[in-house]
Amino acid sequence: MSKTIPNRKDVPEADKWNLSSIYKSDADWEKALKEIPLLTKEISSFKGKLGESAESLLSALKSLEKAEIKMETVYHYTSLQHEADEDDSKATDAEGRAMMAYTQMQSELSFFDPELQAIDETKLLSWIEKDEFRDYKIYIEKLLYFKKYILSEKEERILSLQMQVAQTPSTAFSVLTNVDMNKTFGSINVNGEDLPLTETTFSLFMKNEDRSVRERAYKQYYKKFEENQNTIASLYAGSVNQDVFSMRARGYNSSLEQSLYGNKVPLSVYHNLIDCIHKNLAPLHEYYKIRKQVLKVDNLHHYDVYVPLVPSISTNTPYDKAVEICRKALTPLGKEYTDRLCDGLKNGWADKYENVGKRSGAFSSGCYVGNPYILLNYKDDMIRDVFTMIHEGGHSMHSWYSVHNNPFMCYDYTIFEAEVASTFNEELLFEYLYKNEKDENMKKYLLSMRADDILATLYRQTMFAEFELKSHELVESGTPLTAELLRKTYRDLLELYFGEEMVFESNSDMEGLRIPHFYSSFYVYKYATGISAALALAKKVTNGNEEDREDYFKFLKSGGSRYPIESLKIAGVDMSDTKPIQDACDEFAFIINELKSKLL
């Protein structure tokens, strides 16, 4: 662990992402930003004319496509700069101006969807069968699916005008935790050295073999969150209230329905996930019993759940070596896939290491123009960071195939599908490392780490999903969210999922107020469904034939051309059924039994 974290200006250019595939310079970005009002005005000239003829609608769609590509590209460029350094006032200003431009554009184009919806449906469907509409057919069909929830032009304009305001809870939470609070967590003394405690290093302290280090870091970290609990609870309540406002304004029955409707994901998928996990908590509770015995502690505390069960393993995997490991692990996907990803990871796709003000964690972010970029906070001594690299690489390659096989208006795949491609890659990495490892202790380490990963993705994300559902249901039923209520709701879930072996601190429930993903409502359940699909598909591809591999690539290339349940069926897994979830739980149970036999 580094003693100091560099400022953004001190990070070598080779370790930063190269955003020139989007814009060559900030001046080019400024020029593009100024073009957006002109493109918006061009589309506005079609107001009242969309239904006049097929030719008029086609011209309007082409103008809309041009404007939306420009807007997406403008926002993507500056948002990446902001994520790399949230303490950079210039980047913050630029992102704010981009969001203002987007809000203004959405406001002025609020006429488009209602007017298109008002066209006689028989006539509209006949138009989009024409060859010249091929790039827009799916877009229009999906828009018609939303028809009953599209409001009047005036109402749509009002909703679009408040889009920027709606981002306030998420933006404020990010700045509060990643910038303001991140400067105040202090340091932890480890072997005589004071090491910084930050949003990023917290996870490293939780893996430290010295229990006193874990305990001090845990309590110091959550104390700071508890000091800010009312502010953070108010921010999350604001985010939930925004969801409920939108749901009610459009006429959905629930926030969950609003979130799932657009992707044609049945409500049963969400509820069945939670129910299936509840029925399979026994292997999870058995895991914590094993952990308690292996760690030889009288009481298993929440700060004991992330330290490796095989503590003697020390790893050092430099960034470039990690890239080559990914190349070998992904061999079943072919040379085109591995060459493109690994070249990108080495040459400009990735922002590699932590710097002051940089967003914690990792993500992949792509748009129709430019490369699918990856934010990392890579550390050589964390083998898990290799898994993070290959995970985000899965997202980026999914984006690459989607962009290169679909027109703009239907290239963007759903989050429901996104976590499949990323977790699929993680499974291939585990299988490669485990198969080729000679050291028995390292194999135990990998097995225990895989158990932790499945636990974190399948069980933990389902717990998060249940918390989100309960929070939204409380507001929908007329109960305001307070820090006290949110903490109690989360503590009840902690006790259910972790079982009787776990001892919690008085402020352990503050964990429920520190999860950034909660500000993108009903997002996290897709991790759990994603790993279930990924485990099934990884077995299918690695044990199958060329046809199975091609079916998987059909899924990667689908983009937004199909609804997610349909695209996954083409790949070979049916997520409308509970079988993939149960199979994933069975896989976890098998790994727990293997761990028990090897460690006890």
Side-chain angles (χ1 to χ4, degrees), residues 375-597:
L375 180 141
L376 298 171
N377 284 279
Y378 187 83
K379 293 178 174 57
D380 292 2
D381 58 350
M382 296 292 295
I383 190 67
R384 191 175 297 280
D385 280 9
V386 183
F387 281 82
T388 300
M389 176 188 289
I390 207 167
H391 177 103
E392 300 305 338
H395 285 309
S396 286
M397 289 305 295
H398 194 179
S399 296
W400 191 90
Y401 280 107
S402 295
V403 166
H404 289 82
N405 288 277
N406 297 280
F408 171 77
M409 299 299 273
C410 65
Y411 90 91
D412 197 12
Y413 54 85
T414 68
I415 302 298
F416 189 93
E417 298 157 280
E419 295 307 326
V420 177
S422 54
T423 314
F424 178 100
N425 279 12
E426 285 194 67
E427 179 64 15
L428 291 190
L429 176 59
F430 168 73
E431 294 294 341
Y432 169 78
L433 292 174
Y434 195 75
K435 179 181 178 180
N436 290 280
E437 182 56 57
K438 306 299 183 187
D439 182 82
E440 190 60 31
N441 280 334
M442 187 60 182
K443 294 191 77 163
K444 292 178 183 178
Y445 179 85
L446 289 169
L447 190 64
S448 66
M449 188 175 71
R450 192 58 182 148
D452 289 343
D453 286 345
I454 295 177
L455 184 161
T457 310
L458 182 62
Y459 285 92
R460 183 170 167 80
Q461 300 301 327
T462 301
M463 184 182 78
F464 288 168
E466 191 169 356
F467 175 71
E468 281 194 278
L469 182 61
K470 288 178 179 293
S471 298
H472 283 78
E473 288 177 340
L474 284 167
V475 173
E476 288 166 14
S477 67
T479 303
L481 297 180
T482 63
E484 182 181 8
L485 179 57
L486 287 168
R487 291 181 65 175
K488 181 184 184 307
T489 302
Y490 196 78
R491 179 169 286 272
D492 289 345
L493 291 171
L494 285 174
E495 292 172 353
L496 172 66
Y497 278 76
F498 282 88
E500 296 179 355
E501 294 298 329
M502 191 62 58
V503 175
F504 294 105
E505 312 307 312
S506 63
N507 59 3
S508 290
D509 44 40
M510 285 306 303
E511 181 183 69
L513 294 178
R514 62 163 283 245
I515 310 299
H517 281 118
F518 287 166
Y519 291 83
S520 299
S521 57
F522 303 111
Y523 177 102
V524 295
Y525 88 96
K526 298 162 188 173
Y527 286 111
T529 56
I531 193 172
S532 301
L535 289 171
L537 290 174
K539 284 184 172 61
K540 190 174 176 62
V541 171
T542 55
N543 298 329
N545 52 32
E546 182 64 21
E547 183 179 350
D548 292 315
R549 189 174 80 97
E550 287 307 310
D551 285 344
Y552 180 67
F553 273 98
K554 287 177 185 176
F555 158 70
L556 293 182
K557 294 174 182 179
S558 286
S561 65
R562 299 183 179 92
Y563 288 101
I565 298 292
E566 180 187 352
S567 68
L568 285 168
K569 280 183 180 178
I570 289 173
V573 61
D574 184 0
M575 292 308 300
S576 64
D577 191 351
T578 57
K579 186 178 185 303
I581 307 295
Q582 184 59 55
D583 287 348
C585 291
D586 291 343
E587 176 70 13
F588 180 74
F590 174 80
I591 290 175
I592 296 309
N593 285 331
E594 287 288 295
L595 269 179
K596 189 173 184 178
S597 67

